[in-house]
Amino acid sequence: MPSMKPRGKRIYDWFEHRLHFEAPVKDAALHPVPSRTASWWYVFGSAAFTLLFLQIFTGILLALIYVPSAGHAWSSLNVLNHQVELGWYIRALHGWGSNFMVAIVIIHMTQVFLFGSYKYPRELTWCIGVILLLLTLGMAFTGQVLRFDQDAYWGLGIGASIMGRVPVIGGDLVHLLLGGPIIAGATLTRFFDLHVFIIPGLLLLLALIHSCVGSIPARSAGNNVIAP
Amino acid sequence: MNHDEQTPQAQTDMAPQAAPAADGEGVVSRRWFLLKASIALNGVVGLALAYPILRYLGSPMQSDASFKSWVSLGAINDFPAGQTRLAYYKNPYERPWDGATDNVACYVRRTSEKEFQVFAVNCAHLNCPVRWFPESQLFMCPCHGGVYYANGERASGPPTRGLFTYDWKLEGGSLHINAGQMPTLSNSAKLVNISIGGGDSTCQA
C-alpha cells in the first residue's frame, strides 16, 4: 500500500529510522536553559567551533593548490594569489579565520573564567579547553611556517633556539623539530604534517569531547530550570 | 551465590586447591581469561610496532658525518684583509627539495694575510640574522637589539655571549670552514668569549 507521506518525508524517515539523529539534535537545540544565559556572552564556544570547521574547509581548498616543498611553497602561493580564480579570497578567509579563531578561543576562555563556568562539574571541560587553546596556537604557528618565507624561516630559528636551551637533550630536540641539522626541506614537510594531520586530528577529537562533556553536566546538574 | 551460578564451567576448570569463595573471588572465567590474554597479546603487538615507529621518528636525531664537515667558501682572495664580508656555502647535509634553504650565509672577517674569523649569521640570543655595519664596525641584530663587535664579542643587548664561530682552514688557496648544523647554544658551535670593552669600533674613545 503506497504511503500517504510525501516522498521527501519518506526518504527522511528511512534515514531517521536507521540513524536516530533527530532526538539528540532536538535535545541539544531545544533543551531549556536559564533565561539569564540567553545572552551573547554564551556564543563564543559555538563561534570557535564554527571557525574550526571554516578553517578545516578552507584548508582543504588551499591544499588543492599549495605545494609543501621548501623549493616551491612560496611560488605555489604566488600562483594561488594571482593565477587561481579567487584563490586570494580563499587564502584570506583561511588567514583571517586563523586570527579570529585565536581571538575567539581566548574570549571564550575569558568568559568561562569570569563567569566561574569552569567549576564542578565542568573541571574536565576546562582542562580539555586549555589543551584546545594550546592546539589552536600550535595551528597558528605551524600554519605561518607553511608560507616558508623569511618570516617562517626566522620564526623557526627562534623556535629552534628556544628548544636548544633545554638542558642535556636540547640539541636532539632541535634536530627533531627541524627534521635535520638545519632549517630546510625536511622542516617544512614535518610542519605540514603537524598542521594538516596531527594537530587538526587532535583538535577535532578534543573539540568534540569538549562540547559533549561540556553539555552533559549542564543537563544533569539541575541547570535545566527556566528562570521566571 | 548468584555469581557462581553464572560461571559453573569456570569452577570445574579451576584447580581444586583454589576453592572459590562464596562471592566468586578467585574464580577466573574463560571469558575473563581470554580478555586478559588478548589485551596482553595486543600489548606485545603494540610494543613490536612501537619500536620501529620510534626509531623512524627519532631518525633526525641520529648524528651524521655531514653535520660536521669541511666546506669551501671560495678563494682566499675574495676576502680582502681588514674587511668583513658575507659569504655563502651549500650545506653539506641537503635534500633535492631544499630550495634556497640549504644555501647558508656566514660572515668572514680577514684580520691579516693568514688569519680569519668566520661567524654564523645567527644571533646568539634567538638565532635571528645579524647584519654587519662597516661604518660602525658592529654586527647588529634586527630582532631584539643584540650588538656584537667586529671580532664577534658581545657589545650589548640580550645575547649572553658572542657570535657563534666556525673552525676554518686554508687549503689550496681557498678558505674552508667546518659546518653543517644550524648553530644553537646546545650544539658544538664554538663561542667567542666575552670581554668588556673589546672590538675596534671607531666609536670608542
Side-chain angles (χ1 to χ4, degrees), chain A residues 53-78:
Chain A
F53 278 92
L54 175 81
Q55 291 304 94
I56 291 172
F57 189 66
T58 52
I60 290 170
L61 293 178
L62 292 179
L64 288 170
I65 306 295
Y66 176 75
V67 180
S69 149
H72 300 100
W74 179 244
S75 46
S76 76
L77 290 180
N78 275 328

Side-chain angles (χ1 to χ4, degrees), chain A residues 154 161 164-165 171 175 181 184-185, chain B residues 93 98 125-127 180-182 186:
Chain A
W154 297 109
S161 102
R165 282 169 161 81
H175 286 186
Chain B
Y93 180 94
D98 279 340
H125 176 223
L126 286 174
N127 273 44
Q181 298 188 75
M182 187 177 75
S186 59

Side-chain angles (χ1 to χ4, degrees), chain A residues 34-51:
Chain A
S35 61
R36 68 175 187 281
T37 67
S39 137
W40 284 104
W41 282 111
Y42 292 85
V43 304
F44 297 111
S46 326
F49 209 69
T50 309
L51 279 167

Side-chain angles (χ1 to χ4, degrees), chain B residues 109 137-138 148-153 195-202 204:
Chain B
R109 178 185 187 226
Q137 295 283 302
L138 293 169
Y148 306 85
Y149 294 116
N151 64 358
E153 289 176 0
S195 65
I196 308 299
D200 56 352
S201 166
T202 49
Q204 288 200 337

Side-chain angles (χ1 to χ4, degrees), chain A residues 78-85:
Chain A
N78 275 328
V79 170
L80 185 72
N81 272 2
H82 302 296
Q83 277 155 265
V84 177
E85 179 91 7

Side-chain angles (χ1 to χ4, degrees), chain A residues 109-122:
Chain A
M109 194 180 205
T110 309
Q111 178 264 318
V112 167
F113 178 76
L114 292 179
F115 284 39
S117 314
Y118 54 86
K119 293 173 186 170
Y120 176 84
R122 298 192 184 85

Side-chain angles (χ1 to χ4, degrees), chain A residues 69-72 148 153-154 156-166 170-176 178-186 189-190, chain B residues 57-62 66-67 91 93 95 97-102 104 121-122 124-129 143-144 160 180-182 184-187:
Chain A
S69 149
H72 300 100
F148 228 53
Y153 185 91
W154 297 109
L156 281 167
I158 290 173
S161 102
I162 291 171
M163 199 73 103
R165 282 169 161 81
V166 175
D172 282 339
L173 287 180
V174 170
H175 286 186
L176 195 62
L178 301 182
I182 58 166
I183 302 165
T189 306
R190 63 184 41 217
Chain B
L57 288 175
S59 59
M61 294 194 289
Q62 282 172 355
S66 63
F67 289 11
N91 199 65
Y93 180 94
R95 294 278 181 264
W97 53 89
D98 279 340
T101 52
D102 57 16
V104 183
V121 290
N122 306 94
H125 176 223
L126 286 174
N127 273 44
C128 292
C143 289
H144 310 102
T160 51
Q181 298 188 75
M182 187 177 75
T184 59
L185 292 177
S186 59
N187 68 23

